[in-house]
Amino acid sequence: MTHEFKEIIASYVTARQQGISAAMATVVDVEGSSYRRPGVGMLILENGEVKGAVSGGCVEKEVRRQAQSVFESGIPKIMTYDGQYRLGCEGVLYILIEIFEITRDAIHGIQEQLKSRNTFEIKSFYNKKDKSYPFMGSIIQFENGAKFRFSDSVDTNLIQQETSLLCFQRAMLPCFRLIIIGTEHDAVVLCKIASITGWEVEVVASPKNPKRLENFPGANKIINHSPEDLIIQNVDHQTAIILMNHNFAKDLLYLQAIKGVKPAYLGLLGPARRREKLLSAFIEYAPEVADEFMDSIHGPAGLNLGAETPQEIAIAIIAEILSVIRNQKPIPLQEKEGAIHDDFKRKNIDAFSSEA
């Protein structure tokens, strides 16, 4: 959800420059099933435009309508939406709608956290009983202790005294990042589909055949470095790498170049026989490589979906990456027992303590 929040912040900055007021709608609780999990947000501008969504599209019109009273009064409200007879999910959504009037300092702080790939928290305080309640609202808290409010109406001291309030908190992880090493046609396709997914995509190209951003629609960064000069920084549990040069020697050199990083997923394109040959040669050159690095390797990359075209192969690769980072065994949803989404934690205001 971090990439959606990043887009919301960008939209708010534009609206702020134009003098357009904004409100934020956040799903803070769900009873039953829903299209999206709690924590998803939607920015509503006073001119009627929106950024983001809180469902598959069936709730947004009502959110826009109910946001008007928040614009008029400035008082946050809880909107309850029962989808039993209107949604396929048949769940009850509790949506906190509040003025979004974040300061320049907060905007800069959030953008720096996103750029530095740091985890931060958003905590939303709400009351299910009172539809409009002045002390409801959300707070952004960084690891360095800095805190910013969605609006000035959020008083952290009063919130701590309001024991009737519930607190929904979610960790905002770094935006998921995909590093593609290779520049053939299938790399362009993978870049485009991954960017649509909301991932930040970086492409590594050879300086002998340099590329530019316009060659890779959706890419955030192009790195024209040879294996000898390649240094990839900030590789974390929210980073995947796919090696797809279609050249054995190049893949071997780049594999050696990245042997010190710790991605969540490292995919090798090509058949199993090529993978075994590549890894055997790699271990000869780097016998000291960490087990953690070897365990992150997946090859051939992708789930067995019967993919044939570059587009289908890209979908299969993205699907496998998702299954790995979400720790899920790929099965048809009709075979899954229980809810589609994992349970989320709801915390009472008491759990927030003095950290707020």
Side-chain angles (χ1 to χ4, degrees):
M1 290 186 288
T2 306
H3 74 276
E4 294 173 318
F5 186 68
K6 179 180 178 181
E7 293 172 354
I8 283 173
I9 291 296
S11 295
Y12 173 71
V13 169
T14 300
R16 193 174 189 271
Q17 292 171 344
Q18 297 172 352
I20 302 173
S21 298
M24 177 72 84
T26 306
V27 177
V28 292
D29 201 355
V30 170
E31 294 175 1
S33 60
S34 65
Y35 185 82
R36 298 292 305 273
R37 291 192 295 177
V40 64
M42 168 180 164
L43 185 73
I44 309 110
L45 302 183
E46 198 166 18
N47 63 4
E49 296 181 7
V50 300
K51 185 66 177 182
V54 294
S55 75
C58 39
V59 184
E60 282 67 20
K61 184 177 180 180
E62 181 65 13
V63 173
R64 287 199 301 268
R65 188 184 72 81
Q66 295 215 24
Q68 296 311 307
S69 64
V70 176
F71 280 121
E72 293 170 3
S73 67
I75 300 175
K77 69 187 294 186
I78 278 286
M79 167 187 159
T80 303
Y81 191 93
D82 189 342
Q84 183 174 2
Y85 303 107
R86 293 180 282 185
L87 300 176
C89 297
E90 300 185 352
V92 179
L93 279 67
Y94 294 89
I95 302 172
L96 172 63
I97 306 175
E98 58 186 305
I99 292 295
F100 196 72
E101 195 174 27
I102 202 161
T103 65
R104 281 196 178 93
D105 287 343
I107 292 170
H108 177 73
I110 292 168
Q111 290 173 337
E112 286 299 310
Q113 294 294 314
L114 291 169
K115 184 178 179 180
S116 301
R117 301 186 59 77
N118 293 327
T119 299
F120 58 98
E121 283 189 327
I122 300 179
K123 302 183 180 184
S124 297
F125 299 89
Y126 64 100
N127 186 328
K128 286 185 178 181
K129 296 179 181 179
D130 297 320
K131 299 305 179 184
S132 292
Y133 195 68
F135 303 127
M136 295 189 294
S138 302
I139 296 170
I140 304 170
Q141 184 165 319
F142 300 141
E143 291 179 338
N144 62 7
K147 295 185 289 288
F148 299 99
R149 299 170 290 179
F150 276 16
S151 75
D152 290 337
S153 64
V154 181
D155 190 316
T156 56
N157 293 323
L158 289 175
I159 280 176
Q160 293 180 71
Q161 300 171 17
E162 292 292 325
T163 57
S164 62
L165 288 176
L166 297 172
C167 173
F168 175 70
Q169 64 183 64
R170 59 273 192 199
M172 305 297 287
L173 302 175
C175 291
F176 196 81
R177 176 189 184 200
L178 177 64
I179 300 172
I180 301 173
I181 302 179
T183 58
E184 300 297 335
H185 172 65
D186 54 353
V188 177
V189 174
L190 177 59
C191 173
K192 186 181 299 184
I193 296 178
S195 68
I196 293 173
T197 305
W199 295 356
E200 295 181 346
V201 183
E202 299 176 15
V203 178
V204 177
S206 169
K208 295 181 179 179
N209 186 22
K211 300 296 180 181
R212 295 180 294 183
L213 281 174
E214 51 263 37
N215 300 131
F216 284 84
N220 299 84
K221 184 178 181 181
I222 302 292
I223 304 170
N224 293 302
H225 284 176
S226 64
E228 296 80 11
D229 299 325
L230 181 63
I231 298 176
I232 300 177
Q233 298 178 332
N234 297 324
V235 175
D236 51 30
H237 61 286
Q238 287 287 99
T239 301
I241 301 174
I242 181 76
L243 208 56
M244 50 193 310
N245 279 297
H246 296 276
N247 181 294
F248 183 89
K250 280 186 179 180
D251 279 349
L252 179 58
L253 290 173
Y254 277 110
L255 193 59
Q256 293 178 59
I258 62 174
K259 66 180 184 296
V261 302
K262 298 178 181 179
Y265 174 100
L266 172 55
L268 305 178
L269 207 65
R273 183 179 298 179
R274 183 180 188 273
R275 174 202 63 205
E276 295 304 318
K277 183 180 177 182
L278 182 63
L279 293 182
S280 295
F282 170 64
I283 292 173
E284 286 187 20
Y285 285 102
E288 76 290 352
V289 66
D291 291 340
E292 185 177 356
F293 179 83
M294 297 299 294
D295 291 341
S296 71
I297 296 176
H298 297 260
L303 296 182
N304 182 21
L305 304 178
E308 295 183 359
T309 67
Q311 291 80 6
E312 292 172 349
I313 292 170
I315 291 170
I317 292 172
I318 290 172
E320 183 180 40
I321 294 173
L322 285 172
S323 72
V324 170
I325 64 175
R326 304 281 166 80
N327 194 29
Q328 296 291 317
K329 180 181 179 181
I331 60 172
L333 282 176
Q334 65 181 4
E335 297 179 9
K336 182 177 181 181
E337 297 180 0
I340 294 175
H341 299 302
D342 294 331
D343 292 336
F344 63 93
K345 296 180 180 179
R346 289 170 297 198
K347 298 190 178 181
N348 189 278
I349 181 62
D350 293 335
F352 189 53
S353 71
S354 60
E355 290 182 357

